[in-house]
Amino acid sequence: MFLLNQINANYYKYQAEKAYRKKDWQQCIYQFSGTLKHKATLTDFQADMFNDAKKQLQLENFNKGKKIAVCGWDLSHNAAGRVLTLAELYQHCGYNTSIIGCVISSNPKRPKQLWEPMQLSDILCSFITVKDTAELIYKAFDFVRSHPFDIIHLSKPRLPNLIIGRLYQLIWNTHIIMDVDDEELGFGQFDKGFLPKNTDITNIRSDYWLNKSVSLANTFDAITVSNAALQFRYSGIVIPHVRDANKFLPSKQLTLEMRKKYDVPPTQKVLLFFGTPKPHKGLIETAQALSQIKENNFLFLIIGDFINKAFQDKLTAIKGVNFKFLPNQPYHSISEFVSMGDVCVILQDTDSIISEYQLPAKLIDALAMGLTVISTETPALNSLIEDGVIIPTNKEQLPSTLIQVLSEPSRSAFNRDYFLQNLSTQVFIPVLTGLLKKLRSQNHPIYSNKCYDIITLTEYHPSP
């Protein structure tokens, strides 16, 4: 294998030098990066050619339109929702936008697929499927050298994004923006600041790589976050889970049409849950609160497939609650289904670091369609509570809060107006374009006699 790598590396060097003499800068970069993929090193002269080719290509492309990609660390599940949000925002800004990233699939007999809403998106999506860090490095080299971009927006500080971001910096001098929309440390044990003995560094999802990646979140050209609580923790510019005001258009006619289609009485108060019904999302507590309200007119409408049938049985066993269940719905139809609701309840776990720093996307959906939102108090939601668009509550107070909502005038117009002014895609177009204008040219030189492996790529060295 070593001999084969050397043969391949020498071929790439030959082709790179040939392209350099022809002033074919992109081809030169492509071939030299093939050398690095095979863990070969460059001479001083070759490294100088590689770095010069990057500079010359930047000069050639200076006045051309920017090619931008939003990168997801694992595009097989709903974490990719933030990727779609950012990519759609870039499209609204008028940029040539793509989606790139990884699908992590460790079982070849049951390969994972691209997240369903991503499959239905009209945004070009290219990705690699990887099972471990060795495959990640090898495939990432090939992907990055074959897909040049001027700007990459990484969605979440996770190892695949860290590797892809570093390679884009090294190979193309690409501007890299890191986005943090959750406190990722909440998904693992975050007290490990070193490499413990017997740590399996081949596992992409390991706590070690999680902590390493989060610790390097601020080492790129810029950082964006989804809410003020994360901004306090990571700095950066706030870009919430924005929604297009032209697609999220509440109307009485839409509500009546959707309710008629799905047999929901037009006069009934609908408490809506739209998402994946799981035990930690407060559905049991919400149903228990509804069961305590005498003569209530609530329908608990749950839209989303239950992964755990036993959990659904436990939920429906609660007496005195009028349930209605609908299956998963297309991502592009969210606004239509949310229009059926009157109230959205979000019970966050106040003991969870994830909930503490999370701005749920379904909250934005609800405000965009003028629903009344009830939620527990967390640092991420405090500003919305202070602005009066969220009614604060807890598990114990939820029954009385729901009774209060029944007796109050509709908040629909107020919440919709707040969305338009603070959470719509249109509001954040100048925010994003302003961020891109502040990016300055970067030089990330390739060094001679240096092997670019997973350890090298996850070290941080400020650019000269």
Side-chain angles (χ1 to χ4, degrees):
M1 180 63 72
F2 175 78
L3 180 60
L4 181 61
N5 281 342
Q6 287 298 311
I7 293 172
N8 287 331
N10 288 335
Y11 173 79
Y12 282 127
K13 289 176 183 178
Y14 169 77
Q15 293 295 335
E17 292 178 14
K18 182 178 176 182
Y20 184 85
R21 289 191 293 272
K22 292 183 176 179
K23 298 184 179 182
D24 187 344
W25 313 122
Q26 184 163 322
Q27 182 66 13
C28 175
I29 294 166
Y30 174 82
Q31 297 294 347
F32 268 137
S33 56
T35 301
L36 302 181
K37 179 187 73 169
H38 288 287
K39 299 182 179 180
T41 58
L42 303 178
T43 64
D44 289 344
F45 180 64
Q46 290 166 341
D48 288 342
M49 281 194 290
F50 195 156
N51 293 322
D52 185 56
K54 290 196 291 182
K55 291 179 183 178
Q56 297 299 330
L57 185 64
Q58 283 181 311
L59 290 172
E60 277 189 0
N61 294 337
F62 184 77
N63 291 319
K64 295 181 180 178
K66 299 296 182 187
K67 288 181 61 180
I68 296 174
V70 181
C71 183
W73 78 282
D74 189 352
L75 297 173
S76 67
H77 53 79
N78 60 5
R82 178 65 171 179
V83 177
L84 270 178
T85 296
L86 292 172
E88 289 171 355
L89 178 57
Y90 274 106
Q91 278 194 326
H92 276 86
C93 293
Y95 293 110
N96 178 3
T97 310
S98 301
I99 290 172
I100 63 171
C102 296
V103 167
I104 301 172
S105 186
S106 55
N107 187 348
K109 293 183 179 179
R110 298 178 61 188
K112 290 185 178 179
Q113 303 294 322
L114 198 64
W115 189 49
E116 187 176 0
M118 197 72 75
Q119 297 176 29
L120 300 173
S121 172
D122 61 354
I123 302 175
L124 179 65
C125 179
S126 304
F127 63 94
I128 54 176
T129 301
V130 298
K131 65 178 183 294
D132 54 30
T133 55
E135 194 169 56
L136 170 63
I137 291 289
Y138 192 81
K139 287 188 174 181
F141 258 113
D142 260 347
F143 183 89
V144 172
R145 61 198 284 261
S146 303
H147 298 79
F149 288 99
D150 301 293
I151 297 170
I152 301 287
H153 207 140
L154 306 173
S155 174
K156 297 183 182 292
R158 291 290 192 132
L159 181 64
N161 279 345
L162 182 64
I163 295 299
I164 289 172
R166 290 284 183 251
L167 287 177
Y168 266 107
Q169 285 180 320
L170 286 167
I171 294 173
W172 300 108
N173 277 342
T174 301
H175 283 298
I176 307 296
I177 303 169
M178 175 61 76
D179 180 70
V180 182
D181 74 314
D182 276 313
E183 179 42 87
E184 297 297 315
L185 293 177
F187 296 98
Q189 299 178 26
F190 52 91
D191 57 346
K192 298 176 182 178
F194 56 93
L195 182 60
K197 292 181 180 179
N198 302 319
T199 293
D200 181 10
I201 65 170
T202 66
N203 181 6
I204 293 173
R205 299 178 184 273
S206 73
D207 283 343
Y208 173 72
W209 288 125
L210 170 61
N211 288 279
K212 183 76 169 179
S213 302
V214 171
S215 72
L216 294 171
N218 276 298
T219 62
F220 293 98
D221 299 320
I223 189 164
T224 57
V225 293
S226 65
N227 61 75
L230 285 171
Q231 185 184 45
F232 183 78
R233 197 169 175 90
Y234 289 96
S235 72
I237 292 175
V238 175
I239 298 178
H241 301 304
V242 294
R243 296 292 187 254
D244 183 1
N246 295 321
K247 291 182 179 178
F248 281 72
L249 285 169
S251 72
K252 290 182 179 180
Q253 181 180 352
L254 175 62
T255 299
L256 290 172
E257 288 175 356
M258 290 298 292
R259 287 194 176 196
K260 182 178 180 181
K261 182 176 180 180
Y262 291 97
D263 196 26
V264 176
T267 58
Q268 197 158 32
K269 286 285 184 180
V270 173
L271 196 158
L272 177 73
F273 176 89
F274 191 120
T276 304
K278 293 182 179 180
H280 70 275
K281 295 188 177 183
L283 293 169
I284 295 289
E285 293 81 1
T286 301
Q288 288 171 340
L290 287 173
S291 71
Q292 297 175 39
I293 303 174
K294 294 181 180 179
E295 300 178 2
N296 76 66
N297 188 34
F298 275 115
L299 170 70
F300 195 179
L301 175 59
I302 298 174
I303 304 176
D305 292 339
F306 282 79
I307 298 173
N308 186 336
K309 182 63 166 57
F311 172 59
Q312 185 175 10
D313 292 340
K314 181 180 179 181
L315 184 65
T316 53
I318 298 172
K319 303 297 183 183
V321 182
N322 186 12
F323 289 102
K324 185 175 183 64
F325 299 98
L326 293 176
N328 284 345
Q329 302 298 329
Y331 178 84
H332 62 269
S333 300
I334 289 176
S335 60
E336 297 174 16
F337 285 90
V338 174
S339 74
M340 287 196 284
D342 295 292
V343 181
C344 174
V345 174
I346 300 173
L347 291 180
Q348 298 284 72
D349 182 357
T350 55
D351 295 325
S352 166
I353 190 174
I354 299 172
S355 298
E356 189 176 352
Y357 292 96
Q358 187 177 68
L359 178 71
K362 61 185 177 182
L363 184 153
I364 312 298
D365 298 336
L367 293 177
M369 297 305 289
L371 273 63
T372 296
V373 178
I374 301 171
S375 179
T376 41
E377 296 185 59
T378 67
L381 302 182
N382 280 344
S383 62
L384 282 82
I385 292 172
E386 291 170 2
D387 291 340
V389 291
I390 292 179
I391 301 173
T393 193
N394 55 41
K395 295 174 185 177
E396 293 72 30
Q397 296 172 345
L398 184 55
S400 60
T401 306
L402 288 169
I403 293 172
Q404 171 194 336
V405 167
L406 282 172
S407 63
E408 283 185 348
S410 171
R411 293 174 175 241
S412 178
F414 179 79
N415 285 358
R416 170 67 179 175
D417 187 59
Y418 184 90
F419 160 76
L420 291 173
Q421 295 184 42
N422 298 279
L423 299 168
S424 65
T425 296
Q426 286 72 12
V427 168
F428 282 87
I429 289 173
V431 175
L432 183 57
T433 54
L435 171 63
L436 299 190
K437 288 177 181 178
K438 292 179 181 177
L439 296 176
R440 296 291 175 259
S441 296
Q442 295 287 340
N443 180 33
H444 298 274
I446 295 291
Y447 293 101
S448 60
N449 301 315
K450 184 172 183 178
C451 178
Y452 290 92
D453 56 17
I454 192 166
I455 301 301
T456 305
L457 292 171
T458 55
E459 294 172 347
Y460 174 57
H461 301 289
S463 58

